[in-house]
Amino acid sequence: AAGVIQSPRHLIKEKRETATLKCYPIPRHDTVYWYQQGPGQDPQFLISFYEKMQSDKGSIPDRFSAQQFSDYHSELNMSSLELGDSALYFCASSLRQGPSNLQETQYFGPGTRLLVL
Amino acid sequence: AQTVTQSQPEMSVQEAETVTLSCTYDTSESDYYLFWYKQPPSRQMILVIRQEAYKQQNATENRFSVNFQKAAKSFSLKISDSQLGDAAMYFCALSGYALNFGKGTSLLVTP
């Protein structure tokens, strides 16, 4: 079965640079989530999209932005990178089938490991 | 606010033995899902098992089963016949507008 695809898998950037992470959800899934997992921590929710519209926001810095495109893939744009942004970034997708239906199973991609030097 | 608590930072089990990982949660919702995700050293997040709160029957997936106590807001994971490949970080998670994770339990499997 098709899984969530994330690219790149590894990324090294310098402080103050920008980075773009891409996510391709499971086909026919209508919702995408972004999570950030620091070393030794649990994943923290950043932002989600349902049917190409922003659904909810978590602890996403103002330096970060995201969008979901017409083909349902999503991109997380990160600017003015800081050392503390070094983390594993997960994309997850689900089939929500309704804006208020929050009882669905999220399937995670392999993650993008970002290292900021 | 929703909270998920995993009180066991680390657990150890011998191969072929059974181990239970604990999780408690708090939510004001009446309808929700609970999950256990496994994160091996590769750091991939793998869904282990899912429990719908409206279902009284405990979920089971092969060697993995849960003990869901809704009134007590408890959701433990039992791994039977433990294998070396079960060694990983296990996260308990509660559904909402996003998944709310516990801090995780690191499971070590010894030969």
Side-chain angles (χ1 to χ4, degrees), chain A residues 1-5 24-31 71-72 93-95:
Chain A
V4 177
I5 297 171
Y24 298 85
I26 292 171
R28 292 181 294 283
H29 278 193
D30 53 21
T31 307
D71 64 352
Y72 289 89
S93 75
S94 69
L95 183 60

Side-chain angles (χ1 to χ4, degrees), chain B residues 6 21 36-39 48 64 77 79 85-92 103-107:
Chain B
Q6 294 179 250
L21 308 184
W36 281 97
Y37 284 89
K38 168 186 176 180
Q39 188 173 42
V48 175
F64 299 86
L77 174 70
I79 306 174
D86 294 334
M89 181 71 81
Y90 287 81
F91 289 99
C92 178
K103 295 302 181 186
T105 296
S106 179
L107 180 64

